[in-house]
Amino acid sequence: PGLNSRWCGEWGGRCSLQLCAALPAASVQAQNQPVIAMILLQFNARKLVSQVGHCLKRPSKLQQTQIEMSRQSSDLAEFREVFAKAKHITILTGAGASAESGVPTFRGAGGFWRKWQAQDLATPEAFSRNPSRVWEFYHYRRELMLSKNPNSAHIAIAECEARLSKQGRKVVVITQNIDELHKRAGSKDIYEIHGSLFKTRCTICKHVAENYRSPICPALAGKGAPDPNTDDAKIPVEHLPRCEKSGCNGLLRPHVVWFGETLDSDILMEVNKELEICDLCLLVGTSSIVYPAALFAPQVAARGVPVAEFNTVITEATTQFRFNFQGPCGTTLPPALARHESEVIF
């Protein structure tokens, strides 16, 4: 109470969350706020939820009922009129956008690989202790994703981007997903804020490279089975994926953001620019509980820009948005992004 609720900051370091109200108001106003928003807030991706979770409590049953009554019937025709006028559309996507492609989230009940959940394996500490086990986990995920295909939500977004680009309009995808299904569907303008399963980073020279090999190295062939009774392969570190840059041969790791790590500051600066200039924002298949992405759509809504949420459930942020369309994204999104009657056909 009494604090300015606007978040400020940069996603970096292992520092605690800071509120804009901790600064004199004049100093905030006197500077470029988007830049401040990427500099002042520093947080640990692993611990942030516990620090701010009390600020975004899950709605009560009564509140959920009220939200459902007022939001479930969001007028598609009204959204379509807003969509037809938008020149710069930002689409934020989360795990729900890929759910209909059969992509596991490794979250919640049943979200285990063998006897571990993602937060047990997706950390620098876990990789340092047992790189073989962590690589088995990511090898399994890579091989699984190679068997999956973009669903109708991914395709609708890609087709919308291609169509509107011919009209001088822009569609940008900002995704938390690491599966590259947006890319495979044909989207071009994509920010992968959590990285990609199909990129590696050298732990020595830091070189980042695309890698679609199957298996990624011979020692991982046939490994990574998710059954809880499967024993670790205990692959010697020298046989795990290695850097191919001349003279390096360092151990490779997946180029994804692990718990306790910071997001790429350059990508976040670009994302912040998109959030500041878009005139329509779609929130697709995200629970609005993973930070910093949970702050993106509310940031846009705070500017008075229409935000449309497409999800199977009510989220903590639903009441902040102008539109809410409940149901599988592969069902609700295609008609929302289809060609509007006012569009010129090229």
Side-chain angles (χ1 to χ4, degrees):
L3 293 178
N4 185 335
S5 62
R6 179 186 293 272
W7 301 106
C8 295
E10 170 188 43
W11 293 275
R14 299 180 65 86
C15 302
S16 60
L17 187 66
Q18 300 179 47
L19 288 178
C20 181
L23 296 176
S27 69
V28 175
Q29 297 295 332
Q31 314 237 3
N32 185 305
Q33 289 190 1
V35 174
I36 290 175
M38 301 304 296
I39 294 176
L40 300 181
L41 176 64
Q42 300 191 355
F43 58 75
N44 178 320
R46 196 179 193 181
K47 298 179 180 178
L48 180 62
V49 173
S50 65
Q51 292 175 317
V52 302
H54 66 282
C55 296
L56 291 173
K57 296 184 183 295
R58 195 171 294 276
S60 67
K61 288 185 178 180
L62 175 59
Q63 288 174 320
Q64 284 185 324
T65 300
Q66 292 171 335
I67 292 169
E68 289 168 4
M69 290 176 64
S70 63
R71 292 289 182 171
Q72 272 189 330
S73 60
S74 282
D75 189 343
L76 181 60
E78 181 186 355
F79 169 81
R80 296 279 291 158
E81 291 305 310
V82 173
F83 167 74
K85 298 173 183 176
K87 302 297 183 184
H88 196 117
I89 302 171
T90 295
I91 302 179
L92 311 172
T93 69
S98 295
E100 290 167 77
S101 294
V103 180
T105 63
F106 297 102
R107 296 177 190 161
F112 286 81
W113 176 82
R114 295 182 184 168
K115 59 183 179 181
W116 296 281
Q117 288 189 296
Q119 58 265 37
D120 301 319
L121 300 168
T123 72
E125 295 80 10
F127 189 70
S128 178
R129 287 192 304 267
N130 197 329
S132 174
R133 178 186 296 157
V134 172
W135 260 120
E136 276 200 88
F137 173 57
Y138 280 95
H139 169 66
Y140 165 73
R141 296 181 70 180
R142 283 167 55 93
E143 296 297 303
L144 181 67
M145 282 313 309
L146 290 174
S147 71
K148 305 299 181 182
N149 294 303
N151 61 54
S152 53
H154 298 111
I155 294 169
I157 292 170
E159 291 179 346
C160 179
E161 178 188 358
R163 187 180 76 248
L164 297 193
S165 67
K166 298 176 182 179
Q167 304 170 26
R169 301 161 67 190
K170 189 172 184 180
V171 174
V172 176
V173 175
I174 300 170
T175 186
Q176 301 171 69
N177 300 335
I178 61 174
D179 51 38
E180 290 199 2
L181 288 178
H182 285 296
K183 181 178 179 180
R184 288 169 57 189
S187 290
K188 306 296 183 186
D189 207 342
I190 311 169
Y191 293 100
E192 297 170 321
I193 64 172
H194 292 161
S196 167
L197 281 172
F198 299 100
K199 290 180 181 177
T200 58
R201 182 165 79 248
C202 179
T203 57
I204 303 299
C205 72
K206 311 306 178 185
H207 177 65
V208 176
E210 291 186 337
N211 190 315
Y212 296 93
R213 293 176 184 169
S214 174
I216 191 171
C217 70
L220 282 167
K223 307 301 182 182
D227 188 280
N229 296 317
T230 302
D231 293 329
D232 284 356
K234 298 180 180 178
I235 300 169
V237 68
E238 61 269 20
H239 294 156
L240 292 173
R242 313 298 296 193
C243 182
E244 296 182 354
K245 287 200 72 176
S246 179
C248 183
N249 197 44
L251 176 65
L252 295 179
R253 55 160 283 179
H255 184 55
V256 297
V257 179
W258 281 335
F259 292 95
E261 294 186 323
T262 61
L263 277 66
D264 186 297
S265 59
D266 291 334
I267 291 178
L268 285 172
M269 288 295 288
E270 293 302 314
V271 165
N272 192 65
K273 291 177 184 177
E274 295 296 334
L275 299 176
E276 289 294 325
I277 62 177
C278 68
D279 54 3
L280 175 62
C281 177
L282 276 62
L283 191 62
V284 180
T286 176
S287 59
S288 296
I289 60 173
V290 177
Y291 290 81
L295 304 175
F296 293 167
Q299 175 184 337
V300 174
R303 293 197 292 114
V305 172
V307 176
E309 184 181 47
F310 295 80
N311 210 337
T312 56
V313 297
I314 296 295
T315 71
E316 287 90 340
T318 297
T319 55
Q320 301 180 53
F321 307 140
R322 181 169 170 182
F323 299 100
N324 176 266
F325 299 99
Q326 284 190 260
C329 301
T331 301
T332 58
L333 199 58
L337 297 183
R339 187 182 72 84
H340 190 268
E341 60 184 12
S342 65
E343 291 180 32
V344 177
I345 301 177
F346 288 87

